[in-house]
Amino acid sequence: MTAETGWSAGATTAAFSFALLISAFAGIRVGRIIDHRGPRTVMTAGSVVGVLSILVIAAAPNLPFFIAGWVLAGFAMAATFYQPAFAAVTRWWAPDHVRALTIVTLAGGLASTLFAPLTAALADNLSWRMTYAVLAVILAAVTIPAHALSLRAPWPPAPSPSKAHTGQSAKAATRSHPFRMLAVALTLSSFTVSAVVVALVPLLLERGYSTSEAAWALGLGGAGQTLGRTLYAALARRTGVTARTTTLIALGGLTTAALAIAPGPYALVIALSITAGTVRGNLTLLQATAITDRWGTANYGRLSGLLAAPTTTASALAPFAGAALAIPLGGYPQVFGALAVVSALASVSALCAAPRNNVPHR
């Protein structure tokens, strides 16, 4: 894009991050709509907007139009990504929602596995604009009919507050100390996870590894993420919600610290990347079940949207923050050390978010 258009890499990347911020705050309203009406209309409309946004980006004659395309994409993300899917799955498949969420995240984890090489192959043979156009056609052909035709099951009524774990209303839950501390914990954790994923390659390049070796380490970390998601259901059955949250976030910090202090050998780096990926996979499902574990399934969409807003914002800002900190801190090992400290703070916050009825998830 930058070679053809002359737009700066900072501007094009900022447009994407802006889309993530739009998604974070639009997700709050999307969650409320799904709570009341179900996911079919929202996710179908989101797919349509997603197709339009990609076409606008592909045809953008200048940077303002390019940014406008990403603004549309932000609304599409809010209506089609994990959060609305989690809300739908949690209501439809309760009380066996953990298994259903696992299947959804395993399928979602294939996105980069399938589309990274596909997009690379398209970009090798087409311009970036034509590559986007082809991806828009794929998105339209697959997701619009899938959402319109497959999400027609009756939308179950929300369980009464008395059936939720605490009996709190949505407003009371969001004002509670556990909700606020949980938001802090997951926001700090999301910031760390996103920064680590983006900074892993420059960390390894700085330590003298080749681009290929760094790419393999990152890719195998993604495989570990898929593995982690298959383990979450068993973990949820055997642990309490506070212990599970605190431990997983702390493990994320430990793997980050290990990457900061272990320059090699390469086999150890690979093992640490896979372990970190396994933890990340569990953290995805931890966030998906954080609301139901504490406040039940009533108002899941609204509460999940409110919880996702700061975490998505942190994920959007983390790549820039990691790169910006590398120079004043003296390199990427020091960045990873700082991120490990942030994870420790997140773990302490998770401990402070303990609900009054802290029982293992059934």
Side-chain angles (χ1 to χ4, degrees):
M1 290 179 184
T2 57
E4 180 185 321
T5 63
W7 305 332
S8 71
T12 54
T13 306
F16 173 69
S17 290
F18 187 51
L20 292 178
L21 295 177
I22 294 290
S23 171
F25 293 99
I28 298 173
R29 178 60 180 168
V30 167
R32 291 180 178 179
I33 294 173
I34 291 178
D35 274 342
H36 292 291
R37 303 178 185 176
R40 185 188 181 197
T41 301
V42 167
M43 299 190 76
T44 304
S47 292
V48 173
V49 173
V51 172
L52 293 175
S53 71
I54 296 175
L55 292 176
V56 170
I57 293 168
N62 51 46
L63 190 57
F65 272 87
F66 182 81
I67 294 173
W70 279 109
V71 169
L72 282 176
F75 288 104
M77 292 176 189
T80 58
F81 277 10
Y82 271 148
Q83 293 307 319
F86 288 164
V89 165
T90 297
R91 180 75 68 86
W92 266 325
W93 276 275
D96 192 27
H97 60 280
V98 173
R99 179 174 176 271
L101 288 168
T102 301
I103 294 172
V104 168
T105 55
L106 288 175
L110 295 174
S112 58
T113 304
L114 295 175
F115 281 91
L118 172 61
T119 304
L122 290 172
D124 286 341
N125 296 280
L126 302 171
S127 68
W128 72 266
R129 295 181 186 275
M130 285 302 300
T131 297
Y132 266 57
V134 171
L135 293 174
V137 171
I138 295 173
L139 183 67
V142 176
T143 66
I144 294 176
H147 289 149
L149 301 177
S150 300
L151 300 179
R152 295 184 297 177
W155 188 236
S160 64
S162 63
K163 294 181 181 179
H165 288 187
T166 64
Q168 285 183 312
S169 67
K171 182 179 292 187
T174 57
R175 293 178 177 178
S176 67
H177 179 74
F179 187 92
R180 292 174 179 175
M181 295 308 299
L182 179 66
V184 170
L186 293 181
T187 298
L188 294 176
S189 177
S190 295
F191 179 88
T192 302
V193 167
S194 297
V196 165
V197 170
V198 174
L200 180 61
V201 169
L203 170 72
L204 298 183
L205 294 177
E206 187 175 301
R207 284 176 165 166
Y209 293 101
S210 68
T211 302
S212 177
E213 288 172 326
W216 271 105
L218 182 63
L220 290 172
Q225 187 168 309
T226 301
L227 171 65
R229 290 170 179 172
T230 66
L231 303 175
Y232 185 80
L235 179 66
R237 288 193 297 268
R238 292 171 172 80
T239 58
V241 58
T242 301
R244 182 164 65 254
T245 305
T246 305
T247 301
L248 285 174
I249 293 176
L251 287 174
L254 287 175
T255 57
T256 302
L259 287 166
I261 63 177
Y266 185 60
L268 176 60
V269 172
I270 291 294
L272 289 174
S273 180
I274 293 174
T275 303
T278 302
V279 175
R280 287 198 305 272
N282 278 279
L283 286 171
T284 301
L285 285 167
L286 177 75
Q287 185 167 338
T289 58
I291 297 300
T292 51
D293 284 345
R294 294 166 173 81
W295 294 281
T297 57
N299 301 302
Y300 176 89
R302 179 183 178 185
L303 294 176
S304 180
L306 289 168
L307 191 63
T311 60
T312 305
T313 301
S315 297
L317 298 177
F320 288 103
L325 289 172
I327 295 177
L329 291 180
Y332 279 94
Q334 290 83 352
V335 170
F336 272 63
L339 292 173
V341 173
V342 175
S343 284
L345 295 175
S347 185
V348 172
S349 299
L351 191 62
C352 296
R356 293 178 180 177
N357 58 333
N358 184 24
V359 295
H361 179 71
R362 291 180 295 173

